[in-house]
């Protein structure tokens, strides 16, 4: 259809000619998002139009042009060859103030090594006031179990009571897609017996951990937030990361809610309900790992697993006021995770504290954690083509999702999909091979840029999201909504972590005028997870006195003084 509409294109200068200095004349391109918010009856009509062969093709072509995809990606000229996978050769940094944990150790021993690396609580609060609010940590649970103050079984029963309260009117928080009370109590009973014998497996023994419903975990089927995927793809085993947690004695408490197929960033799911933000249940959690962020924020679990393909861990973590950590591409096994976005997606961790993120990261990671580098002065640099990278990532994640899901769609009634997912998949299906190749050429350029920048600085400091949590609109509840403007604002600063395979972490640092959390993000060198966790911990120490209790919060360690 290129002959029908006049198109413009960008001719990119070679990467070696791009000035990355703070005085660069590179132009910062603002997001050019032109698409109406669609929900209710309007999104049903839009899905029907987009799925029609002629009208749909024309409308998608127009949307691509209006949103600069044609100009910046589709018809752009680039010298660089494509890079299809953001693989970074393993590099042992061998720097100071870090403990190298042998990768051959079992997960339980890795978790204990991580605990040994943590500062004492008394060290953390020196020269600071006691925080007015904090969430219970993995070590809080472990100490309470060891002392006999409570047991995993008592905590499991409290968890089930809290989950029931949160799932029914007036709250209807929609934290979980599935949970099995009998299985939870069985795990808790076994853990309680281990503590009674004085034989806990690890610090994680008896600790409740939730898993995003994009990750296989028996006895549950993996729905990906749909009503149909589990009928075509059956869960027969735990994902590798879940196996590691089970081997540590953790109690897997169920599968958390998510945006359908991970194709949106609001966390509104027309099948399982809109996951609501514990700081204000009338507002979104962000997505797509919406339930995992919300259960940590609300105190139901100290840690949960998510999957981050385009900020899907860090966005809801930021909006819900918790830690969101995405390791380097390849650091954590992707085995047993739905293959929705295989070159940009990574298992990530949502936690109440940096310390808990570290413990679970140590348990599930597959390679040596990199060592703590000596911090260089942070320096001013130019990050070029941010909006170009966002569009290239959108083309990539959309193409990969379409390639993964398309064979299943041929075997099902499209009406089983939510309307927002239908709209997204129709747009994804319109991306062509030239656009995908150009997106990978842009990935190559960005990998060069960030490699050069991270040779001068240990990490990049950047906002986590462009907006804080916004209201859940009533018209989005039944069919979902397609809100490209808010979606683009949420993902704008996430893309380098996914598209380039870099580790990243978000830490809550404050609140907006409505009392909704704000996150600050750090993006690091490949394999520099320890750097990021050290920095995140320092920021947490500086910010913890200002942390506020969510409106919806459950204290599972009820015999202890409520945090």
């Amino acid at each position: 259809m290129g002959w029908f509409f006049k198109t413009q294109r960008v001719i990119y200068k070679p990467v070696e000619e791009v000035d990355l200095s703070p005085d660069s004349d590179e132009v910062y391109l603002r997001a050019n998002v032109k698409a109406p918010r669609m929900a209710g009856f309007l999104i049903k009509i839009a899905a029907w139009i987009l799925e029609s062969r002629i009208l749909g093709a024309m409308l998608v072509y127009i949307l691509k042009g209006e949103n600069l995809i044609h100009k910046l990606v589709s018809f752009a000229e680039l010298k660089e060859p494509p890079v299809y996978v953001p693989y970074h050769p393993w590099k042992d940094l061998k720097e100071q103030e870090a403990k190298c944990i042998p990768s051959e150790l079992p997960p339980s021993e890795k978790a204990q090594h991580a605990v040994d690396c943590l500062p004492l609580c008394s060290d953390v609060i020196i020269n600071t006031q006691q925080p007015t609010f904090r969430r219970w940590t993995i070590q809080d649970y472990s100490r309470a179990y060891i002392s006999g103050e409570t047991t995993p079984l008592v905590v499991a029963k409290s968890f089930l009571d809290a989950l029931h309260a949160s799932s029914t009117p007036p709250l209807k928080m929609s934290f979980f897609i599935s949970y099995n009370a009998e299985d939870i109590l069985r795990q808790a009973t076994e853990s309680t017996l281990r503590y009674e014998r004085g034989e806990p497996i690890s610090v994680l023994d008896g600790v409740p951990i939730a898993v995003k419903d994009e990750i296989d975990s028996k006895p549950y089927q993996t729905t990906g937030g749909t009503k149909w995927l589990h009928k075509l793809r059956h869960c027969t085993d735990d994902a590798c990361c879940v196996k590691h947690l089970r081997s540590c004695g953790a109690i897997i408490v169920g599968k958390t809610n998510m945006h359908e197929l991970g194709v949106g960033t609001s966390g509104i799911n027309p099948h399982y309900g809109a996951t609501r933000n514990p700081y204000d249940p009338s507002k979104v959690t962000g997505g797509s790992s919406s339930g995992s962020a919300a259960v940590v924020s609300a105190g139901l679990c100290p840690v949960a697993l998510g999957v981050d393909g385009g900020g899907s861990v860090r966005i809801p973590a930021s909006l819900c006021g918790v830690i969101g950590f995405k390791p380097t591409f390849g650091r954590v096994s992707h085995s047993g995770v739905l293959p929705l976005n295989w070159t940009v997606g990574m298992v990530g961790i949502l936690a109440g504290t940096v310390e808990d993120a570290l413990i679970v990261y140590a348990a599930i990671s597959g390679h040596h954690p990199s060592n703590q580098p000596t911090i260089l002065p942070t320096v001013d640099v130019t990050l070029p083509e941010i909006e170009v990278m966002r569009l290239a990532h959108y083309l990539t994640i959309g193409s990969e999702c379409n390639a993964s899901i398309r064979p299943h769609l041929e075997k099902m009634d499209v009406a089983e999909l939510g309307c927002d997912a239908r709209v997204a998949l129709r747009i994804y299906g319109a991306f062509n091979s030239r656009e995908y190749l150009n997106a990978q050429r842009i990935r190559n350029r960005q990998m060069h840029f960030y490699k050069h920048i991270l040779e001068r600085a240990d990490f990049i400091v950047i906002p986590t999201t462009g907006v804080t949590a916004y209201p859940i609109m009533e018209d989005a509840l039944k069919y979902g909504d397609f809100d490209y403007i808010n979606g683009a604002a949420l993902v704008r600063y996430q893309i380098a972590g996914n598209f380039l395979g870099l580790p990243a972490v978000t830490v809550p640092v404050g609140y907006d005028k409505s009392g909704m959390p704000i996150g600050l993000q750090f993006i690091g060198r490949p394999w520099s997870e320890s750097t990021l966790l050290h920095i995140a911990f320092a920021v947490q120490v500086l910010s913890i006195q200002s942390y506020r209790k969510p409106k919806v919060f459950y204290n599972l360690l009820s015999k202890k003084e409520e945090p």
Side-chain angles (χ1 to χ4, degrees), residues 42-64:
L42 178 60
I43 200 172
K44 289 188 68 176
I45 296 297
W48 178 81
I49 292 174
L50 285 167
E51 287 166 355
S52 66
R53 295 187 64 180
I54 297 176
L55 290 177
M58 292 180 65
L59 180 56
V60 170
Y61 192 93
I62 292 171
L63 286 172
K64 287 182 183 179

Side-chain angles (χ1 to χ4, degrees), residues 1-9 61 65 70 75:
M1 295 179 66
W3 55 270
F4 193 77
F5 296 99
K6 183 178 179 180
T7 58
Q8 295 178 317
R9 64 179 179 180
Y61 192 93
H70 284 159
F75 303 111

Side-chain angles (χ1 to χ4, degrees), residues 7-12 70-72 74-77 434:
T7 58
Q8 295 178 317
R9 64 179 179 180
V10 169
I11 301 175
Y12 291 98
H70 284 159
K71 179 180 179 179
L72 299 178
S74 306
F75 303 111
E77 289 192 12
R434 174 175 178 152

Side-chain angles (χ1 to χ4, degrees), residues 2-3 5 8 11 24 30 53 66 85-86 133 193 197 204 278 334 380 387 394 396 451 475 484 563:
W3 55 270
F5 296 99
Q8 295 178 317
I11 301 175
S24 172
R30 290 183 174 272
R53 295 187 64 180
E66 288 294 301
V85 180
F133 166 73
L193 291 174
R197 296 194 302 266
L204 287 167
H334 212 64
D380 291 331
E387 179 65 5
Y394 184 62
T396 301
K451 180 180 179 182
D475 61 358
Y484 191 43

Side-chain angles (χ1 to χ4, degrees), residues 83-91 328-331 343 367 443 447 499-501 526-527:
V83 169
Y84 298 101
V85 180
Y87 174 72
H88 300 276
W90 165 249
K91 183 178 181 181
T328 304
F329 182 83
R331 173 73 85 175
T343 75
H367 294 89
R443 189 193 318 239
M447 290 182 76
F499 202 44
L500 311 182
W527 316 114

Side-chain angles (χ1 to χ4, degrees), residues 127-142:
N127 298 324
T128 66
Q129 297 177 357
Q130 185 72 24
T132 57
F133 166 73
R134 71 178 185 89
R135 295 175 175 86
W136 297 128
T137 67
I138 289 170
Q139 292 190 84
D140 287 327
Y141 281 92
S142 181

